[in-house]
């Protein structure tokens, strides 16, 4: 049994106390009117150890009604006969720490305090109200810490029990217990909780993504044309249409040949006509020349022989021009004859047939293209649906396991609580609360007095509930620690506990007094 005693506490500029030394006995009574600093003495102890008030909340101990240089608190403790002088201060807005009056680092100070006793347990014993401020799961953990947990086999069986009178050997594990029994062969329960808490969170996100992917792929498939009942028949029809279109196209292209030939001949004919016209113009120019009977230079009359010579020269020049003109006319006529022989073919009907077939093929080609897109889309959709299903299954599996762990913890607490319950005289442990909307029971942990939760108790009832709780915790944890009762004027018949008792009582018109 660990014995903790507070020998003395010293305050310098701590709240209302400029300088204060308190020596504690087995029973210490602190009395005085309001605002005399009675409760601050209790805070002096918790602040020195943890930097908090007696409820574990952060505390600022600096004075507000007078000037100060430093704040310092010291606590002389005795733990199992060994004394420790611990100090905490504020100097120039910085925290300071002392161990046996030697300055220490924060980590070293916290480590020595931690080695002396557990924080939650000490504060719950020193000021039981602290226990009731903890979360219910922390209260349960602290209360059950000193009881031997039941064997997993027993918990699994009790989870699955169908009737109080059912024999242990006749119990068949329910799905939750059977699942946990199998899983705990590989992992301990805290590991399972960590694994499946993370997996549930991951799968919650992954499931939303998978749902979105499925919806997107389904939307893309809906936008495609309706799938034909026989895609192979559509492909065959498309191939046949292609053959027919190609055949018509060849005929249309053959019909274009005379047209191209005619265009070439028409171009050649235009050139030939220009050539004939040019030859004719040159011939007519010579043909229209007037033969003069006098010399153009001296103006003397030409004799008959000279005139005949000039006429002969004109005829000589006309002959090749006439031949050139005749040749050009011959070439033109040949082109005209070829042009006349070219027969144009009317392909308008063929084009109409081809266009009609191409419209039909647009339908088949669209269906084939849609099917080519549909196939991989459908594959992706099937895969996405499978992933969605697998993700949901994994998520639900983790939810089931987490619920099973919760049920296990609740049953384990129930079995342990049965052991603790016998240690109380006026208090009872409530492990479940009913959800009004569903009628289901949800795990909780609450210590009640006369079937009333702590929050509904009067000041006196709370004090008695705290004193009884501290006595049980002390016995279970095998630790005797000082017990402080604030506002003790509302509590009658306070029995001396095994350890020190500190009573704080308000007395009207009285200055602070410590006995």
């Amino acid at each position: 049994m660990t014995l903790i005693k507070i020998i003395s506490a010293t305050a310098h500029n701590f709240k209302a106390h400029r300088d204060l030394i308190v020596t504690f006995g087995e029973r210490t009574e602190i009395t005085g009117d309001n605002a005399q600093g009675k409760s601050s003495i209790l805070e002096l102890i918790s602040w020195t150890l943890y930097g908090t008030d007696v409820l574990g909340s952060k505390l600022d101990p600096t004075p507000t009604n007078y000037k100060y240089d430093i704040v310092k608190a010291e606590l002389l403790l005795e733990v199992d006969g060994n004394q420790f002088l611990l100090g905490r201060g504020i100097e120039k807005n910085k925290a300071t720490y002392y161990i046996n009056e030697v300055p220490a680092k924060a980590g070293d100070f916290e480590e020595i305090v931690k080695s002396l006793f557990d924080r939650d347990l000490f504060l719950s014993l020193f000021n039981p109200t602290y226990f009731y401020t903890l979360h219910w799961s922390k209260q349960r953990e602290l209360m059950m810490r000193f009881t031997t947990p039941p064997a997993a086999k027993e918990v699994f069986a009790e989870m699955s029990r169908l009737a109080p009178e059912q024999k242990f050997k006749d119990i068949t594990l329910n799905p939750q217990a059977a699942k946990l029994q199998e899983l705990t062969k590989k992992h301990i329960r805290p590991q399972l909780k960590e694994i499946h808490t993370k997996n549930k969170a991951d799968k919650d996100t992954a499931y939303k993504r998978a749902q979105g992917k499925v919806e997107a792929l389904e939307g893309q498939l809906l936008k495609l044309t309706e799938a034909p009942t026989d895609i192979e028949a559509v492909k065959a029809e498309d191939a046949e249409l292609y053959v027919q279109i190609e055949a018509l196209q060849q005929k249309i292209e053959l019909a274009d040949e005379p047209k191209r030939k005619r265009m070439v001949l028409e171009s050649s004919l235009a050139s030939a006509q220009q050539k004939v016209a040019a030859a004719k113009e040159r011939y007519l120019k010579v043909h229209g020349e007037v033969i003069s009977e006098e010399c153009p230079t001296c103006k003397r009359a030409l004799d008959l022989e000279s005139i005949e010579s000039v006429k002969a020269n004109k005829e000589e020049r006309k002959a090749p021009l006439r031949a050139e003109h005749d040749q050009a006319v011959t070439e033109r006529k040949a082109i005209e004859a070829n042009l006349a022989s070219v027969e144009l073919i009317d392909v308008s009907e063929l084009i109409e047939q081809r266009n009609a077939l191409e419209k039909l093929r647009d339908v088949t080609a669209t269906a084939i293209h849609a099917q080519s897109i549909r196939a991989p889309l459908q594959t992706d959709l099937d895969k996405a649906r499978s992933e969605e299903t697998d993700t949901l299954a994994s998520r639900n599996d983790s939810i089931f396991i987490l619920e099973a762990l919760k049920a296990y913890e609740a049953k384990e607490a129930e079995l342990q609580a049965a052991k603790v319950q016998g240690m109380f005289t006026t208090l009872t442990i409530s492990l479940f609360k009913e959800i009004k909307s569903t009628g289901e029971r949800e795990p909780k942990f609450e210590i009640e007095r006369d079937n009333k939760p702590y929050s509904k108790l009067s000041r006196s009832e709370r004090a008695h509930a705290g004193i009884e709780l501290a006595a049980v915790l002390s016995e279970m944890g095998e630790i005797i620690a000082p017990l402080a009762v604030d506002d003790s004027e509302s509590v009658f018949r306070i029995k001396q506990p095994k350890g020190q008792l500190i009573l704080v009582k308000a007395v009207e018109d009285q200055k602070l007094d410590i006995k």
Side-chain angles (χ1 to χ4, degrees):
M1 182 75 75
T2 298
L3 177 60
I4 303 171
K5 284 188 175 183
I6 301 174
I7 306 301
S8 65
T10 303
H12 177 64
N13 296 330
F14 185 92
K15 287 198 164 183
H17 304 295
R18 287 182 180 270
D19 286 291
L20 177 70
I21 299 175
V22 181
T23 301
F24 294 90
E26 287 304 303
R27 180 186 181 96
T28 303
E29 296 182 0
I30 303 172
T31 57
D33 204 346
N34 294 329
Q36 291 293 312
K38 302 185 300 299
S39 298
S40 297
I41 296 174
L42 302 183
E43 292 176 335
L44 177 64
I45 296 168
S46 61
W47 188 79
T48 304
L49 292 172
Y50 303 112
T52 69
D53 62 17
V54 293
L55 294 178
S57 298
K58 189 174 181 180
L59 175 67
D60 179 8
T62 55
T64 58
N65 58 347
Y66 62 88
K67 292 183 178 180
Y68 65 95
D69 48 359
I70 64 172
V71 174
K72 190 172 182 181
E74 284 187 326
L75 188 65
L76 181 59
L77 290 173
E78 184 178 290
V79 181
D80 288 339
N82 299 310
Q83 290 193 356
F84 302 87
L85 181 59
L86 303 175
R88 183 188 294 263
I90 301 174
E91 300 179 25
K92 297 179 180 179
N93 293 322
K94 290 185 179 180
T96 55
Y97 306 90
Y98 302 87
I99 301 174
N100 295 326
E101 297 185 330
V102 178
K105 294 180 179 179
D108 295 337
F109 182 88
E110 291 170 1
E111 194 61 37
I112 195 169
V113 173
K114 190 184 297 183
S115 70
L116 295 176
F117 35 72
D118 177 79
R119 179 179 186 271
D120 288 334
L121 180 58
F122 175 81
L123 288 177
S124 295
L125 293 172
F126 179 64
N127 174 43
T129 304
Y130 171 80
F131 176 87
Y132 294 101
T133 65
L134 297 173
H135 186 269
W136 69 264
S137 61
K138 188 66 179 177
Q139 290 184 32
R140 183 174 71 180
E141 184 275 326
L142 183 58
M143 202 75 215
M144 305 303 175
R145 184 185 299 176
F146 308 105
T147 61
T148 304
K153 185 177 181 180
E154 180 185 357
V155 179
F156 290 145
E158 293 303 321
M159 285 172 65
S160 310
R161 180 179 291 280
L162 299 177
E165 65 276 7
Q166 190 178 14
K167 293 181 179 180
F168 189 86
K169 65 177 182 177
D170 296 332
I171 295 175
T172 301
L173 297 187
N174 64 19
Q176 284 186 332
K179 184 75 171 180
L180 284 183
Q181 186 183 58
E182 180 64 28
L183 292 176
T184 48
K185 293 177 182 178
K186 185 176 180 181
H187 297 288
I188 60 175
R189 284 181 288 106
Q191 290 174 333
L192 287 175
K193 187 173 184 178
E194 184 178 348
I195 290 168
H196 290 283
T197 298
K198 183 178 185 305
N199 186 65
K200 179 188 175 297
D202 292 344
K203 292 302 184 288
D204 280 341
T205 303
Y207 183 58
K208 289 178 182 177
R209 285 201 305 266
Q211 283 182 309
K213 189 174 182 180
V214 168
E215 289 176 3
L217 290 169
E218 287 176 340
Q220 292 178 45
L221 279 172
L222 286 173
K223 290 178 181 178
L224 296 176
T225 56
E226 189 175 350
T229 54
D230 188 353
I231 188 61
E232 295 304 322
V234 174
K235 288 180 179 179
E237 181 185 355
D238 183 76
E240 177 60 29
L241 288 170
Y242 177 78
V243 170
Q244 294 177 24
I245 291 169
E246 283 296 301
L248 287 171
Q249 186 62 32
Q250 289 178 8
K251 290 180 180 179
I252 292 169
E253 289 176 358
L254 287 174
D256 283 345
E257 182 60 29
K259 188 184 293 184
R260 286 194 296 272
K261 186 176 180 180
R262 186 178 181 86
M263 290 174 63
V264 172
L265 288 172
E266 286 176 345
S267 178
S268 299
L269 178 60
S271 297
Q273 288 174 336
Q274 290 177 358
K275 189 176 180 181
V276 170
K280 182 179 179 181
E281 183 180 355
R282 287 192 293 274
Y283 173 79
L284 290 177
K285 184 177 180 181
V286 175
H287 178 73
E289 288 180 359
V290 178
I291 299 174
S292 177
E293 293 184 356
E294 59 180 20
C295 176
T297 303
C298 64
K299 303 300 182 181
R300 290 174 60 186
L302 298 175
D303 56 24
L304 185 59
E305 184 179 355
S306 296
I307 292 172
E308 288 302 325
S309 176
V310 172
K311 288 180 179 180
N313 177 266
K314 179 179 178 181
E315 291 300 324
E316 287 177 4
R317 285 187 293 119
K318 285 171 58 180
L321 292 174
R322 185 183 296 110
E324 180 187 4
H325 177 265
D326 291 343
Q327 178 63 33
V329 171
T330 300
E331 291 176 0
R332 185 198 66 193
K333 289 181 177 180
I335 294 171
E336 287 175 341
N338 285 337
L339 186 59
S341 66
V342 176
E343 293 184 7
L344 295 178
I345 301 172
D346 185 4
V347 295
S348 58
E349 187 176 343
L350 294 175
I351 292 174
E352 287 180 4
Q353 293 176 11
R354 182 198 64 187
N355 291 346
L357 292 175
E358 285 180 341
K359 286 183 179 180
L360 292 175
R361 190 164 181 254
D362 283 343
V363 177
T364 58
T366 300
I368 294 169
H369 177 67
Q371 185 63 19
S372 68
I373 297 174
R374 186 188 309 278
L377 270 180
Q378 187 63 53
T379 300
D380 290 344
L381 178 58
D382 293 341
K383 183 180 178 182
R385 283 173 174 165
S386 177
E387 289 175 353
E388 180 186 27
T389 301
D390 292 344
T391 301
L392 181 60
S394 178
R395 171 182 174 273
N396 289 344
D397 189 49
S398 286
I399 291 174
F400 179 80
I401 293 167
L402 291 172
E403 289 297 321
L405 287 168
K406 189 185 294 184
Y408 182 98
E409 291 172 358
K411 182 55 67 175
E412 182 184 47
E414 185 179 340
L415 295 173
Q416 283 185 275
K419 299 177 183 179
V420 177
Q421 184 61 65
M423 303 179 70
F424 288 118
T425 54
T426 66
L427 304 181
T428 55
I429 298 174
S430 176
L431 294 172
F432 301 98
K433 67 177 179 180
E434 185 174 320
I435 302 174
K436 293 182 180 180
S437 58
T438 62
E440 296 179 353
R441 291 202 310 168
E442 187 176 86
K444 74 164 187 175
F445 184 90
E446 191 166 27
I447 293 180
E448 300 177 346
R449 192 170 193 263
D450 297 330
N451 295 319
K452 292 190 294 184
Y454 183 81
S455 59
K456 303 293 184 182
L457 298 178
S458 66
R459 180 180 296 182
S460 174
E461 288 173 325
R462 288 185 183 185
H464 283 294
I467 293 169
E468 183 175 346
L469 171 73
V472 171
L473 275 176
S474 177
E475 183 177 348
M476 291 172 60
E478 296 185 344
I479 179 171
I480 298 174
L483 169 65
V485 181
D486 203 353
D487 297 326
S488 63
E489 66 272 10
S490 63
V491 187
F492 301 104
R493 297 183 302 278
I494 299 177
K495 183 180 177 181
Q496 179 70 30
K498 292 181 179 180
Q500 292 173 296
L501 177 63
I502 304 171
L503 298 176
V504 179
K505 183 178 180 180
V507 177
E508 189 177 3
D509 296 329
Q510 180 185 304
K511 291 184 177 182
L512 180 66
D513 185 45
I514 303 170
K515 294 181 181 179

